[in-house]
Amino acid sequence: MLDVCLFGAGLIGQVHAANLARHPRVRLRYIVDPNREAASKVSALTGAEIADTQTVMNDRSIRMVFIASATRTHADLAMAAAASGKAIFCEKPIDLDLKRTDQCLAAVEKAAVPFQIGFNRRFDPSFRALKARLAQGEIGAVEQVIITSRDPEPETEEALAGGGGVFREMTIHDFDMARNLLGEEPVELFATGSSLVAPHYAKLGDYDTAMFVLRTSSGRQCHINNSVRAAYGYDQRIEVHGADGMLRAGNRMPTSVEMSGAKAISRDKPYYFFVERYAESYAAEIDHFITCVETGRRPEVTASDGRKAMILCEAALASAKSGRFETVRF
Amino acid sequence: MLDVCLFGAGLIGQVHAANLARHPRVRLRYIVDPNREAASKVSALTGAEIADTQTVMNDRSIRMVFIASATRTHADLAMAAAASGKAIFCEKPIDLDLKRTDQCLAAVEKAAVPFQIGFNRRFDPSFRALKARLAQGEIGAVEQVIITSRDPEPETEEALAGGGGVFREMTIHDFDMARNLLGEEPVELFATGSSLVAPHYAKLGDYDTAMFVLRTSSGRQCHINNSVRAAYGYDQRIEVHGADGMLRAGNRMPTSVEMSGAKAISRDKPYYFFVERYAESYAAEIDHFITCVETGRRPEVTASDGRKAMILCEAALASAKSGRFETVRF
Amino acid sequence: MLDVCLFGAGLIGQVHAANLARHPRVRLRYIVDPNREAASKVSALTGAEIADTQTVMNDRSIRMVFIASATRTHADLAMAAAASGKAIFCEKPIDLDLKRTDQCLAAVEKAAVPFQIGFNRRFDPSFRALKARLAQGEIGAVEQVIITSRDPEPETEEALAGGGGVFREMTIHDFDMARNLLGEEPVELFATGSSLVAPHYAKLGDYDTAMFVLRTSSGRQCHINNSVRAAYGYDQRIEVHGADGMLRAGNRMPTSVEMSGAKAISRDKPYYFFVERYAESYAAEIDHFITCVETGRRPEVTASDGRKAMILCEAALASAKSGRFETVRF
Amino acid sequence: MLDVCLFGAGLIGQVHAANLARHPRVRLRYIVDPNREAASKVSALTGAEIADTQTVMNDRSIRMVFIASATRTHADLAMAAAASGKAIFCEKPIDLDLKRTDQCLAAVEKAAVPFQIGFNRRFDPSFRALKARLAQGEIGAVEQVIITSRDPEPETEEALAGGGGVFREMTIHDFDMARNLLGEEPVELFATGSSLVAPHYAKLGDYDTAMFVLRTSSGRQCHINNSVRAAYGYDQRIEVHGADGMLRAGNRMPTSVEMSGAKAISRDKPYYFFVERYAESYAAEIDHFITCVETGRRPEVTASDGRKAMILCEAALASAKSGRFETVRF
C-alpha cells in the first residue's frame, strides 16, 4: 500500500482523486488545494485529509505525489517533491517556460525519483492498441500520421487568459501523440492558426482553429487539426498510414444504439469531453505509474516527453507567426 | 453504509464481489461459499469475512444479501433471508421448479423485503437507452423484436449436466428482454432446437442451437436466436421495429481500432463473454438495488419477472417437443 | 445478337426493358402489354416494337422471351413460348396455383427450352459474394440463417386485392434465399402473421407483419421476418451463422455522407425500394440468362426453384393458420 | 441526338467511351487515337469510326469533342475544336504550362463554346451530396476541410516520366475539391513532399508522399494528404468541419458483406482505383456536360476551375521547395 498525496482539486484533480480512491494498492492520504471548498469536496469523496504542501513534503510516509494543480505551481511542487525523494506524477505542462522546465527536470534527475508526465492519451485502450499493432509491424514502416483533436466548445475568456494558450494546453497532447506514433523525432514543424470560432482567442493573441504539419528527418509526415469547437462533442481520432496499410482509432460513443427513422439512420455522438472520453486512460496512467514505482520500472511517458512536447509548442508558435517550416531543436 | 453478504464465490459471484467492493455506499461484510478456496479468493480481494449461512442470517446488521450461489440453493437462501428481513438480490433462476419458485416468492412477499432478480441485461447502457427511447415513442408502437443471443462456446458436459438446460440458463435472459421490449405479455411461444454444435447437449436431452417466436395478444412478434457457439465472441444484439422506424443496439468491442490492409478492413471482434460484455450492467444492477433499498423504491426487475421468464422457458421446452405454438399462462 | 421480346410494361417490366436496351448482346425487338400507354412508354425508351402475343410466338427470330406481365398470364405465356421453342425468363411466381405451375413446368421440360425464374436477389452482388464465401467454407457448416425483408410501405388495397398475398408475393423471395443459403432443403416450416400496419391486409385475409422459422432435416434453422412497412426504406439483410463465424450482408445506401451534429451522427437511410436497391441484381440476372442461352449452360435459378418456393408459401399459409410446424413436401 | 468525337482511347478514354456509348442522347461517331490498337478496341465496343483529327474538326455535324488524349495534346485539340465551334470536354490538366493554358482558355472564350474540365469528383454522388448539404447550411460556415487522397500503388517509372508530376496529376483533383468546399479562394498554400514509397519518384524530382495546408483570406483551412500507395486500395475521403458540425464522405466498397471470424470482424476494402471508385461520377460529368450543351447552361466546372487548380499546383511546387506558405495569385 503506497501512501500518496494529490495536489489540485480542480476538474482534473477530481478525476485523479476518484481513480486513486478506487485503486487497490494506494491510499490517498492527503489532498492539497488553496481552494478550501474544492479540497473539501475531494476529501469528502475519498477520505483524504486536507493538508498544506509543507506537511506533505515533510511526511516521509508519502511516497508519491500527483500534481494536478495550477500550471504555474507544477515546477515548484515537483522540485520540492524531488527534494523529499517522492515519486512524481505531474500533469502537463511542467511549466510554460522552457528554462524553468529544464531546471525542474534537472532537479528531478538529480533526485533520481520516478517521474511520469500526464499524457493520458498514451493510455487510451484504443490508441494503445493501435500503437502496439504499429510496433508489431502490422502496417510496416510509418509514412503519415493524421491526428484529429477538437474540443467540444471554446474556453471562457477568463479561463483562457489564465492558461498557456491553445498550443501549449491542447495541441501539446497531439504533439506527444505525433512523437509517440511517428517512430522518429520531428525535425520540422509548420503551423497556421485562425480566428473563426470565438473572438476572445484572437484578442488574447491566440488561435481557435489550427492546422499543423510535422516532418521527421527521413521524411515521415504528420498532420494535426485542432478546433476549440465541435458541435458533436470531443473529437479524438488517429489515423496512421504505413507501407502495408492503415490503422485507425476513433471516438467513443456512450451507447451502441442506432435509430433508423424516416429521415436518416442515426447513432450517438461521441462523449462530450475528456473526462468521459478518456475515463479509462486516466485510470490506466495512474495504475501504470503506481506499478512503475512498485517495481522500479521506468514510466513509459517521461519528463523528457513533457519537455519535447513543449519544444514542439514553441516551434508551432514561431511557425504560426513566420509562415514557414520551423526547425525543431530538442 | 449498508452491510451486505454475498453468497457464491464462483464466476458470477466474483463479478458481484468486485462491484460490491467498489461501491461507495455498501460494505461487503461476508462471503459464503462451501468451496473454501473460492471463498478465500473473494475474501482476499475484498476484505470480506468468510462465514456460514447461519451466521449471516443471524447477523441483524446485514441488511442485504446477494445470492449468486448454485441455482438449487437460491430458493432456500432467499426464504431464509426473507425470514430474517433482509433485502434480497437473487441471480436467475429463482429455482428450476416452478412450484418451488412460487413458494419462494410467496415467502418473500409475506416478508415484504425488497427483492431484485439478476436480469443484468436490463441495466446494459445500450439496451437501457434503447428501451428508454422506445418508451419515449421514438419509433411508435412496437411491431417486432429480434434478439440475437449467442454464447462464444459450449459448456463442458460436466457443467451442462449440473444446470437447468440451455432454455432455463441462457434463453431465460432473452425471454426477459422480450417481455421488457414487447410492451405486452407474450401469449404464445414457438421453439425449435437442434444439435449442431456439441453432441453432449443432445445426449443430455438439450439443444445447442435454437430459434423462438413469441407472440402477444395484439399480434406483436418477437424472434430469438440462440447458439452455444460464436467463433467471434459473445453476440448480444437487439433490434426493435415500430411503426416509425427501427432501434438497434449492438455488441461492444474492446477498442475502436480499425485496420485497412491488403485483404480487407478489419476491426475488433466483440468482447469474449458476459463478464466483459456486461461489466457495466453488473455494476449498474447492483447500484440500482442498493438505491432501491436505501430509498424504499421498488426494483425495476422483480421476482415476478423472474417467475414469468421461467414460465416462458417451460412453454419453450414444451413447444420444442410438440412443434406447435404453445399457449403461455402466467 | 439475340432478338428478344418482353411481356409486361409495368414497373418490373420497365426495369427489365431498360436493362435489355443497354445489354450489348441482345436486341429488344418487341414489347407486349395490353395497356397501350405502358407499352408505348417502353417502346419510346427502347425502340422496341409494340406487338401482340401471337405475332411474337410466330416470329421464329425471337429466341428469348421475358415474362413480366400479370401473374395470371405467366403460365400461358411460358407454355406458348415453350411450344415455340423460345428460351423463357419468367418473373415469380409461375402461377399462384401449384397444379398449374406443375403443368407449366412439364411443358417447359418437354420443350427442353432454357428457363430462368426471376429470383433477382440471387444476383445481388453482396448476397452473391456472401453465398460464394459460404460455399468456399469461410464460416464452416451453416447452422442458422436470419433474413430480414421489409417493404417500405403497404400496398394499396386495390393492388393487394389483385395479388397472391404477402407470402406468395413477398416472402417467396425470402424462401428462395433461405433454400439458397441453408445448403439443405427445409423440411418443416412455422409461420405466424399479424395485422399491425394496414387493416386492409387483414380484411383480405392477409398479414402485414410476419415471422417464419424453417428447419432442415439435419436441424439447420432459418428465421425470416417480414413487414409491409419500414419507415427508413427497403430493409434487406442477411446473416448466416456457421461453425466458424458469421457472414452478413446489408442494405445499400445512396451515399456515404455522414453528418455529425449537435444531436447525433447520422447517415443515409437505405434505398427506398427494390428498383433502386436491386438495380444491379436486375441487370445481372438478365445477363446471366442471356449468357446461359448463348452458351447452353443451365441457369442457376430454375423452374424447380420457383416451384419449391411456392410450396414453401403454401406451407407457410397452412402454418399461420394451424399454429404448428408444417411438414414441407416438395 | 448529339454527334460527338472522343480523342484518346487510353484508360480514361475507354471510361468515357463506355459512358458515351450508353448515353441515350449522344452518338459516339468518331474515336481518334494515334495508337491504332487502342482506337480499334474502342471502335469495336462502341461502333465509333476511327478518324483523324482533321476529319473530325472539319465535320460540322460533330457538335462536341471529348479530349482524353495525352496531356500535351489537350491545348491544341481544344483550340482546334474551339475554332470549329465545337463544345469541349477536356480532361485535366489543360496544359502543364500556365501560359499555354491561358492561351488556350483565351481561344475558348473567344469562340464562346461550352467548355467543361474533367474534375469528375465534383460529380461523385457522395461528394456532391456533401457539397449540397454544405450549401444548404447544414453545418454552418466552413472552418476546416480535410481531404484524404491516396492512390493504390505507384506509377511505373516510365509512366511517371511522361507525366506532369504528382502535384499536377494527382493533387490537382484535391486542390479543385478544396476550392469547391472551402467557399472562399485559398490565398496561401504550404506543401511538403517526401520520398518514402518508390525511389523513382525522387529520382525524377518528384514526391511520393505529401501533405498540404491551404488557407483562405478569412482564415479557413484545408489539409490534404497524398500518397502514391495504399495497400487497401484507392482512398478518397472528405471531411468538412463547420460551426454546427461535421460532414464526411467516404470510400465505396464493392459489397456490404461483413465476416465475423475468430480473429476479427472484416469487411471489403475500398474499390481498387478510380475507374471503379468513380464509375458514377464519370457517367455523371458527361451527362452534365451534354445537358449543358443541350440547354445552353454553363457547366459547373469551367476552364477557370482548371486554371486555378493549376496555379495551386505551382504554388505547391514552390512551397515544397521553399518550406514556407506561398501566396496564391490567381
Side-chain angles (χ1 to χ4, degrees):
Chain A
M1 216 62 163
L2 289 165
D3 281 7
V4 308
C5 170
L6 170 65
F7 292 92
L11 182 48
I12 187 71
Q14 287 169 37
V15 170
H16 290 320
N19 284 317
L20 290 168
R22 255 197 300 263
H23 196 284
R25 301 199 308 277
V26 297
R27 186 165 42 172
L28 179 54
R29 282 272 304 287
Y30 296 123
I31 170 72
V32 181
D33 195 302
N35 180 330
R36 199 73 195 176
E37 199 179 343
S40 298
K41 195 173 156 192
V42 165
S43 173
L45 282 169
T46 64
E49 184 183 329
I50 300 177
D52 60 22
T53 304
Q54 213 42 57
T55 308
V56 173
M57 295 302 171
N58 291 342
D59 186 337
R60 305 202 52 161
S61 71
I62 296 298
R63 299 265 305 280
M64 293 169 110
V65 297
F66 288 81
I67 304 175
S69 47
T71 296
R72 68 179 181 283
T73 67
H74 288 185
D76 279 344
L77 289 171
M79 286 187 284
S84 308
K86 301 182 195 313
I88 302 160
F89 180 101
C90 183
E91 273 304 309
K92 54 87 219 168
I94 295 165
D95 195 274
L96 295 177
D97 181 74
L98 192 58
K99 269 194 194 157
R100 198 155 159 64
T101 301
D102 285 344
Q103 202 179 335
C104 173
L105 298 188
V108 168
E109 200 164 332
K110 199 180 145 203
V113 293
F115 186 101
Q116 182 173 322
I117 187 86
F119 286 139
N120 62 296
R121 296 180 196 176
R122 296 241 197 161
F123 297 90
D124 175 70
S126 292
F127 294 166
R128 205 168 173 78
L130 183 153
K131 172 70 191 286
R133 293 170 68 169
L134 208 55
Q136 284 154 22
E138 217 172 288
I139 58 165
V142 171
E143 289 164 5
Q144 291 187 327
V145 174
I146 291 138
I147 298 175
T148 300
S149 175
R150 314 174 78 86
D151 278 2
E153 54 180 344
E155 289 194 80
T156 60
E157 187 163 353
E158 192 183 22
L160 195 67
V166 160
F167 292 6
R168 288 198 196 93
E169 302 275 3
M170 178 179 173
T171 323
I172 192 170
H173 278 291
D174 306 314
F175 287 143
D176 179 63
M177 192 52 76
R179 290 186 58 242
N180 181 36
L181 298 175
L182 278 167
E184 292 175 357
E185 291 293 353
V187 295
E188 286 182 298
L189 190 156
F190 172 83
T192 189
S194 301
S195 170
L196 296 174
V197 175
H200 58 272
Y201 281 75
K203 209 171 113 189
L204 293 164
D206 207 344
Y207 312 106
D208 54 35
T209 307
M211 283 191 169
F212 307 85
V213 174
L214 289 78
R215 192 186 161 103
T216 70
S217 55
S218 80
R220 296 179 181 186
Q221 301 163 356
C222 173
H223 162 70
I224 297 166
N225 63 72
N226 283 170
S227 173
V228 301
R229 170 171 66 192
Y232 49 90
Y234 201 40
D235 190 359
Q236 300 281 305
R237 290 173 282 142
I238 289 174
E239 187 173 309
V240 184
H241 295 268
D244 304 327
M246 165 173 60
L247 281 165
R248 291 206 282 186
N251 290 316
R252 291 179 60 225
M253 277 68 176
T255 78
S256 63
V257 179
E258 191 186 81
M259 156 73 179
S260 296
K263 287 195 185 150
I265 299 179
S266 64
R267 57 194 172 93
D268 284 8
K269 55 184 187 167
Y271 277 113
Y272 178 67
F273 210 177
F274 65 93
V275 175
E276 304 84 16
R277 165 66 175 88
Y278 285 122
E280 292 159 319
S281 74
Y282 282 114
E285 69 172 356
I286 277 182
D287 183 66
H288 174 73
F289 186 54
I290 292 162
T291 303
C292 285
V293 170
E294 288 170 340
T295 60
R297 262 188 285 150
R298 183 185 167 77
E300 285 180 23
V301 203
T302 64
S304 166
D305 291 316
R307 186 183 171 275
K308 286 182 174 169
M310 273 303 291
I311 290 174
L312 291 169
C313 294
E314 299 303 317
L317 288 163
S319 173
K321 289 212 160 50
S322 71
R324 55 176 304 133
F325 239 163
E326 292 289 334
T327 303
V328 177
R329 283 190 191 84
F330 288 132
Chain B
M1 215 66 161
L2 289 165
D3 282 5
V4 308
C5 170
L6 170 64
F7 291 92
L11 181 50
I12 188 69
Q14 287 169 37
V15 171
H16 290 320
N19 284 318
L20 289 168
R22 254 198 299 265
H23 197 283
R25 299 198 309 275
V26 297
R27 186 165 43 174
L28 179 54
R29 281 272 305 288
Y30 296 121
I31 171 71
V32 181
D33 195 302
N35 178 333
R36 198 73 193 178
E37 199 180 344
S40 298
K41 194 171 157 193
V42 165
S43 173
L45 282 169
T46 63
E49 184 184 331
I50 301 177
D52 61 20
T53 303
Q54 212 41 58
T55 307
V56 173
M57 295 301 173
N58 291 341
D59 186 337
R60 306 202 52 160
S61 71
I62 297 297
R63 301 264 306 279
M64 292 169 111
V65 297
F66 288 82
I67 304 176
S69 48
T71 295
R72 68 178 180 283
T73 66
H74 289 184
D76 279 344
L77 288 170
M79 286 188 285
S84 306
K86 301 182 195 310
I88 302 161
F89 179 100
C90 183
E91 275 303 310
K92 56 89 223 166
I94 296 165
D95 196 274
L96 296 177
D97 181 76
L98 193 58
K99 268 196 193 155
R100 196 152 162 66
T101 301
D102 286 342
Q103 201 178 337
C104 174
L105 297 189
V108 168
E109 200 165 333
K110 198 180 147 203
V113 293
F115 186 101
Q116 183 175 322
I117 188 87
F119 285 138
N120 62 295
R121 295 181 196 177
R122 296 242 196 161
F123 296 90
D124 174 71
S126 293
F127 294 165
R128 204 166 173 80
L130 183 152
K131 172 69 191 285
R133 292 170 68 169
L134 207 56
Q136 283 154 22
E138 219 174 285
I139 57 165
V142 172
E143 290 163 6
Q144 291 188 327
V145 174
I146 292 139
I147 298 174
T148 300
S149 176
R150 313 175 77 87
D151 278 1
E153 53 181 344
E155 289 194 80
T156 60
E157 187 162 352
E158 192 183 18
L160 194 68
V166 160
F167 291 5
R168 289 198 196 92
E169 301 275 2
M170 177 178 173
T171 322
I172 192 171
H173 278 291
D174 307 314
F175 286 143
D176 179 63
M177 191 53 76
R179 290 186 57 243
N180 182 36
L181 298 175
L182 278 168
E184 293 175 356
E185 292 292 354
V187 295
E188 285 182 297
L189 190 157
F190 173 82
T192 188
S194 302
S195 171
L196 297 173
V197 175
H200 58 272
Y201 281 76
K203 210 171 112 188
L204 293 164
D206 206 345
Y207 312 105
D208 54 35
T209 308
M211 282 190 169
F212 306 85
V213 175
L214 288 77
R215 191 186 161 103
T216 70
S217 55
S218 81
R220 296 180 181 186
Q221 302 163 357
C222 173
H223 163 70
I224 297 166
N225 62 74
N226 282 170
S227 173
V228 301
R229 171 170 66 191
Y232 49 92
Y234 200 40
D235 191 359
Q236 299 282 305
R237 290 173 282 142
I238 289 174
E239 189 174 307
V240 184
H241 295 269
D244 303 327
M246 164 173 59
L247 280 165
R248 291 206 281 186
N251 290 315
R252 289 180 61 225
M253 278 68 176
T255 78
S256 63
V257 179
E258 191 186 82
M259 157 73 178
S260 295
K263 288 196 185 149
I265 299 178
S266 64
R267 56 193 172 91
D268 284 7
K269 55 184 188 167
Y271 278 111
Y272 178 66
F273 209 177
F274 64 93
V275 175
E276 303 87 14
R277 164 65 176 92
Y278 286 120
E280 292 159 320
S281 74
Y282 283 113
E285 69 173 354
I286 276 182
D287 183 66
H288 174 73
F289 186 54
I290 292 163
T291 304
C292 284
V293 170
E294 288 171 339
T295 60
R297 263 189 286 150
R298 182 187 168 77
E300 284 180 24
V301 203
T302 63
S304 165
D305 290 316
R307 186 183 172 277
K308 285 182 175 170
M310 274 302 292
I311 290 173
L312 290 169
C313 294
E314 299 303 317
L317 288 162
S319 174
K321 289 213 160 52
S322 71
R324 55 177 307 135
F325 240 163
E326 292 289 335
T327 302
V328 177
R329 283 192 191 83
F330 288 131
Chain C
M1 215 65 163
L2 289 166
D3 282 5
V4 309
C5 170
L6 170 64
F7 291 92
L11 182 48
I12 188 70
Q14 288 169 36
V15 171
H16 290 321
N19 284 318
L20 289 168
R22 256 198 297 265
H23 197 282
R25 300 198 309 277
V26 297
R27 187 165 42 174
L28 180 53
R29 281 272 304 288
Y30 296 122
I31 170 72
V32 181
D33 195 302
N35 179 334
R36 199 72 195 179
E37 199 180 344
S40 298
K41 194 172 158 192
V42 164
S43 173
L45 282 169
T46 63
E49 185 183 329
I50 300 178
D52 61 20
T53 304
Q54 212 41 57
T55 306
V56 173
M57 295 301 172
N58 291 342
D59 186 338
R60 306 201 53 159
S61 70
I62 296 298
R63 300 265 305 280
M64 294 169 109
V65 297
F66 288 83
I67 303 175
S69 47
T71 295
R72 68 179 181 284
T73 67
H74 289 185
D76 279 344
L77 288 171
M79 286 188 284
S84 307
K86 301 181 195 311
I88 300 160
F89 180 100
C90 183
E91 275 303 309
K92 56 87 218 165
I94 296 165
D95 196 275
L96 295 177
D97 181 74
L98 192 58
K99 268 195 195 155
R100 197 152 160 65
T101 300
D102 285 343
Q103 200 178 337
C104 174
L105 297 188
V108 167
E109 200 166 331
K110 199 181 148 204
V113 292
F115 186 102
Q116 183 174 322
I117 187 88
F119 286 138
N120 61 296
R121 296 181 196 177
R122 296 243 197 160
F123 296 90
D124 175 71
S126 293
F127 294 165
R128 205 167 173 79
L130 182 152
K131 173 68 192 286
R133 293 170 70 169
L134 207 57
Q136 283 155 21
E138 218 173 285
I139 57 165
V142 171
E143 290 164 5
Q144 290 188 327
V145 174
I146 292 138
I147 297 174
T148 300
S149 176
R150 313 174 78 86
D151 278 1
E153 54 181 342
E155 289 194 79
T156 59
E157 185 162 353
E158 192 184 18
L160 194 68
V166 159
F167 291 7
R168 289 198 196 93
E169 302 275 3
M170 177 177 173
T171 322
I172 192 172
H173 278 291
D174 307 313
F175 286 143
D176 178 63
M177 191 53 76
R179 289 186 57 243
N180 181 37
L181 298 175
L182 279 168
E184 293 175 356
E185 292 292 354
V187 295
E188 286 181 298
L189 191 157
F190 173 82
T192 188
S194 301
S195 170
L196 296 174
V197 175
H200 57 272
Y201 280 75
K203 209 172 113 188
L204 293 164
D206 207 345
Y207 311 105
D208 54 35
T209 307
M211 284 190 169
F212 306 86
V213 175
L214 288 77
R215 191 187 162 103
T216 71
S217 55
S218 80
R220 296 179 181 186
Q221 301 163 357
C222 172
H223 163 70
I224 297 166
N225 62 74
N226 282 169
S227 173
V228 300
R229 171 170 66 191
Y232 49 92
Y234 200 40
D235 190 358
Q236 299 282 304
R237 291 173 281 142
I238 290 174
E239 189 174 307
V240 185
H241 295 268
D244 303 327
M246 163 173 59
L247 281 165
R248 290 206 281 185
N251 290 316
R252 289 180 60 225
M253 278 67 175
T255 78
S256 63
V257 178
E258 191 186 82
M259 157 74 178
S260 295
K263 288 197 185 150
I265 299 178
S266 64
R267 56 192 173 94
D268 284 7
K269 55 184 188 168
Y271 278 111
Y272 178 66
F273 210 177
F274 64 94
V275 175
E276 304 86 15
R277 165 65 175 91
Y278 285 121
E280 293 159 318
S281 74
Y282 283 113
E285 68 173 354
I286 276 183
D287 183 67
H288 174 72
F289 186 53
I290 292 163
T291 303
C292 285
V293 170
E294 287 171 340
T295 59
R297 263 188 285 149
R298 183 187 167 78
E300 285 181 22
V301 203
T302 63
S304 165
D305 291 316
R307 186 183 172 275
K308 286 182 175 169
M310 273 304 291
I311 290 174
L312 291 170
C313 293
E314 299 302 317
L317 288 163
S319 173
K321 290 215 158 49
S322 71
R324 56 177 304 136
F325 239 164
E326 292 290 334
T327 303
V328 177
R329 283 192 191 84
F330 289 131
Chain D
M1 216 65 162
L2 289 165
D3 281 7
V4 308
C5 170
L6 171 64
F7 292 91
L11 181 48
I12 186 71
Q14 287 169 37
V15 171
H16 290 321
N19 284 318
L20 289 168
R22 255 196 299 263
H23 196 283
R25 301 198 308 277
V26 297
R27 185 165 42 172
L28 179 53
R29 280 273 304 287
Y30 296 122
I31 171 72
V32 180
D33 195 302
N35 180 331
R36 198 72 195 176
E37 200 180 343
S40 298
K41 195 173 157 192
V42 165
S43 173
L45 281 169
T46 64
E49 183 183 331
I50 301 177
D52 61 21
T53 303
Q54 213 41 59
T55 307
V56 173
M57 294 303 171
N58 291 341
D59 187 337
R60 307 202 51 162
S61 71
I62 296 298
R63 300 264 307 279
M64 292 170 112
V65 297
F66 288 82
I67 304 176
S69 47
T71 295
R72 66 178 182 284
T73 68
H74 288 184
D76 278 344
L77 288 171
M79 285 187 286
S84 306
K86 300 181 194 315
I88 301 161
F89 180 100
C90 183
E91 274 303 309
K92 55 88 222 165
I94 295 166
D95 194 275
L96 295 177
D97 181 73
L98 193 58
K99 269 194 193 155
R100 198 155 159 63
T101 301
D102 285 343
Q103 203 179 335
C104 174
L105 298 187
V108 167
E109 200 164 332
K110 198 180 147 205
V113 293
F115 186 102
Q116 183 173 322
I117 187 85
F119 285 138
N120 62 295
R121 296 181 196 176
R122 295 241 197 162
F123 297 90
D124 175 72
S126 293
F127 294 166
R128 205 168 173 78
L130 182 153
K131 172 70 191 284
R133 293 169 69 168
L134 209 53
Q136 283 154 21
E138 217 174 287
I139 58 166
V142 171
E143 290 163 6
Q144 291 187 327
V145 173
I146 291 139
I147 298 175
T148 300
S149 175
R150 314 174 78 87
D151 278 2
E153 53 181 344
E155 288 194 80
T156 61
E157 187 162 354
E158 192 184 21
L160 195 67
V166 160
F167 291 8
R168 288 198 197 93
E169 302 275 4
M170 178 178 171
T171 323
I172 192 171
H173 278 292
D174 306 314
F175 287 144
D176 179 63
M177 192 53 77
R179 290 186 57 243
N180 181 37
L181 298 175
L182 278 168
E184 292 175 356
E185 291 293 353
V187 294
E188 286 182 298
L189 190 156
F190 173 83
T192 189
S194 301
S195 170
L196 297 173
V197 175
H200 59 272
Y201 280 76
K203 210 171 112 188
L204 294 164
D206 206 345
Y207 312 105
D208 54 33
T209 307
M211 282 191 169
F212 307 85
V213 174
L214 288 78
R215 190 185 162 103
T216 70
S217 55
S218 81
R220 296 179 182 187
Q221 302 163 356
C222 173
H223 162 70
I224 297 166
N225 63 74
N226 282 170
S227 173
V228 302
R229 171 170 65 192
Y232 49 91
Y234 201 39
D235 190 359
Q236 299 281 304
R237 290 173 281 142
I238 289 174
E239 188 173 308
V240 184
H241 295 269
D244 303 327
M246 166 173 58
L247 280 165
R248 291 207 281 186
N251 290 314
R252 291 179 59 225
M253 277 67 175
T255 77
S256 64
V257 179
E258 192 186 81
M259 157 72 179
S260 295
K263 287 194 185 152
I265 299 178
S266 65
R267 58 195 170 93
D268 284 8
K269 55 184 187 168
Y271 278 111
Y272 178 67
F273 211 177
F274 64 93
V275 175
E276 303 86 16
R277 164 66 174 89
Y278 285 121
E280 292 158 319
S281 74
Y282 282 114
E285 68 174 355
I286 276 182
D287 183 66
H288 175 71
F289 186 53
I290 292 163
T291 303
C292 284
V293 170
E294 289 171 339
T295 60
R297 262 189 284 150
R298 183 187 166 77
E300 285 181 23
V301 203
T302 65
S304 165
D305 291 317
R307 186 183 171 276
K308 286 182 175 169
M310 274 304 290
I311 290 174
L312 291 169
C313 293
E314 299 303 316
L317 288 162
S319 174
K321 290 212 158 50
S322 70
R324 55 176 303 134
F325 240 164
E326 292 290 334
T327 304
V328 177
R329 282 189 193 85
F330 288 131

